[in-house]
Amino acid sequence: MLLKIISFLLLLGSSASAVNYTGPVGHREAFLANSGGAMIDSPGNVLLNPAGLGFRQNKETALSVSGNAVARQEFNVSQYSVDPEEMTVRPLLAASVFPTQYGTMAVFLANPTAFRIYGGSEYTTSGVAVKTLLRVDYQELATGVTFANTVNSDLAWGVSAGVSMETQKSYGYTRAFQTGVTAATSFNLTEQKTISLFVTPGLLYKAADFWHIGLSMKTLADISSTANTQRFATSSSSPTTVEETDRSFDPNGTNPFAYRLGQEFIFSPANSLYFDIVYVSATSAYNSNNEKYLNDEVWEGSLGYRHSLSGSYELLTGYAYTQSQSADFNMISAGLSMNRRNNEFIVGGYYLSNTPKDAASSGYNSYGILFSSNVEY
């Protein structure tokens, strides 16, 4: 049971998080539940499909900033006397897009994934009562450049490349007790850091006036990967003696590939439907005992809708579902876009729920306010 919980939390904090995003990311894409694989001319193209910038017609430089104004996470962990919760404020994306003689370029800094997740279980096996509490703190930062251009009036290409840094801290407490026999407790602290190069090439094809198709892929190549784990344990046979171990190791095995197929259906200049499918390949990693464990492949589907209202306002909304062998994610997001000349400001919110498939593991909910602005000058 402990292994299942650890695997579930490591899935959330593994390199798979660096190629697929279960939370909102991008500019308009964040309010469409990340369904932007076929979107044209959005600063969020740098993350999901850089080819979207190839069709950019505006010759002005644009600066975009988006983020979570407030985000709240709630956890269902029965072993806590008080339900743990977290409040966070963080940027999602800062990007500058500008024209060049040869096409459209962009530079960007993103914090697409950051979370603090709690887990726990309490069960009895072979007469031994085992209780575990776990917490994982995860952060990803990515910076890079994008270049995009058209092949012809119907086909564009683009590529984003840069450096990604993932940091993760895992805290674990385990207590095992059997009446009249033995009792033991242990505390584990694991810290790891991975620096990787990433490349995201993409294509966007205007199959018809009402139908656009986008295809992109993201892959990682590690520059460095380090980790250290410390364990402190006591037992009833020697309650005054603390056993300490300290190990350094390389946690990463194989990195994932992520493939995104996006479509945009244009019903009218005021109404569009977006539909994305994402596949993330299976990965592997190693623990402090040099034991290899696998993270299963991940599938995601997202659906977004854009509807123009009166004046210069647009309604954006979307739903995404992510499935793995360990857990299911559901995300809903929505926002109101306000356009003035070539400037755009969007404000809205999102709700994300996680349901582990192991009934003994703990799930969580996250919700908050989103904002994004894009200024051209």
Side-chain angles (χ1 to χ4, degrees), residues 306-328:
R306 176 186 65 87
H307 177 72
S308 292
L309 305 173
S310 59
S312 55
Y313 295 91
E314 288 185 342
L315 175 65
L316 307 173
T317 187
Y319 167 76
Y321 172 72
T322 304
Q323 181 185 57
S324 71
Q325 186 174 348
S326 301
D328 294 332

Side-chain angles (χ1 to χ4, degrees), residues 68-80:
N68 290 107
V70 177
R72 177 186 174 104
Q73 293 180 327
E74 297 178 340
F75 305 88
N76 177 25
V77 185
S78 59
Q79 284 72 45
Y80 282 85

Side-chain angles (χ1 to χ4, degrees), residues 210 265-273 305-306:
F210 62 89
F265 300 93
I266 306 170
F267 304 121
S268 71
N271 297 277
S272 291
L273 183 70
Y305 180 64
R306 176 186 65 87

Side-chain angles (χ1 to χ4, degrees), residues 26-27 43 63-67 91-95 345-346 371-375:
H27 173 54
L63 177 63
S64 176
V65 177
S66 59
L92 291 177
L93 174 68
F345 178 74
I346 314 173
F371 71 90
S372 190
S373 63
N374 186 54
V375 179

Side-chain angles (χ1 to χ4, degrees), residues 138-360:
Y138 177 86
Q139 187 92 224
E140 179 199 350
L141 292 173
T143 184
V145 297
T146 298
F147 182 80
N149 205 348
T150 56
V151 177
N152 52 49
S153 59
D154 295 325
L155 181 65
W157 65 272
V159 60
S160 292
V163 178
S164 172
M165 183 175 69
E166 299 172 73
T167 58
Q168 178 176 300
K169 291 184 179 181
S170 304
Y171 308 86
Y173 166 79
T174 303
R175 182 207 66 190
F177 177 76
Q178 187 175 20
T179 303
V181 180
T182 186
T185 60
S186 66
F187 175 79
N188 298 274
L189 169 62
T190 300
E191 299 180 80
Q192 64 184 65
K193 179 179 179 180
T194 301
I195 300 176
S196 307
L197 296 176
F198 68 86
V199 178
T200 307
L203 295 171
L204 203 153
Y205 177 54
K206 295 182 177 179
D209 291 339
F210 62 89
W211 183 28
H212 298 165
I213 303 172
L215 180 65
S216 63
M217 179 189 75
K218 184 176 181 180
T219 184
L220 301 171
D222 294 341
I223 299 176
S224 66
S225 177
T226 59
N228 179 265
T229 186
Q230 294 176 295
R231 180 177 180 269
F232 306 91
T234 62
S235 65
S236 57
S237 59
S238 55
T240 60
T241 301
V242 179
E243 178 188 350
E244 299 183 24
T245 58
D246 190 328
R247 293 183 181 178
S248 297
F249 63 100
D250 183 351
N252 277 3
T254 57
N255 285 321
F257 291 87
Y259 302 90
R260 178 181 295 269
L261 173 63
Q263 299 182 77
E264 179 184 8
F265 300 93
I266 306 170
F267 304 121
S268 71
N271 297 277
S272 291
L273 183 70
Y274 302 89
F275 177 59
D276 282 24
I277 296 177
V278 179
Y279 168 76
V280 182
S281 64
T283 64
S284 65
Y286 292 89
N287 61 22
S288 59
N289 295 321
N290 202 34
E291 297 169 335
K292 185 177 182 179
Y293 62 89
L294 300 178
N295 291 320
D296 299 299
E297 63 186 15
V298 177
W299 285 93
E300 177 187 301
S302 57
L303 187 68
Y305 180 64
R306 176 186 65 87
H307 177 72
S308 292
L309 305 173
S310 59
S312 55
Y313 295 91
E314 288 185 342
L315 175 65
L316 307 173
T317 187
Y319 167 76
Y321 172 72
T322 304
Q323 181 185 57
S324 71
Q325 186 174 348
S326 301
D328 294 332
F329 293 83
N330 291 273
M331 181 174 68
I332 299 172
S333 62
L336 181 66
S337 172
M338 293 156 276
N339 298 276
R340 295 292 185 271
R341 297 184 295 275
N342 291 325
N343 303 323
E344 182 179 23
F345 178 74
I346 314 173
V347 62
Y350 78 97
Y351 173 77
L352 172 66
S353 68
N354 163 267
T355 306
K357 294 183 177 179
D358 181 355

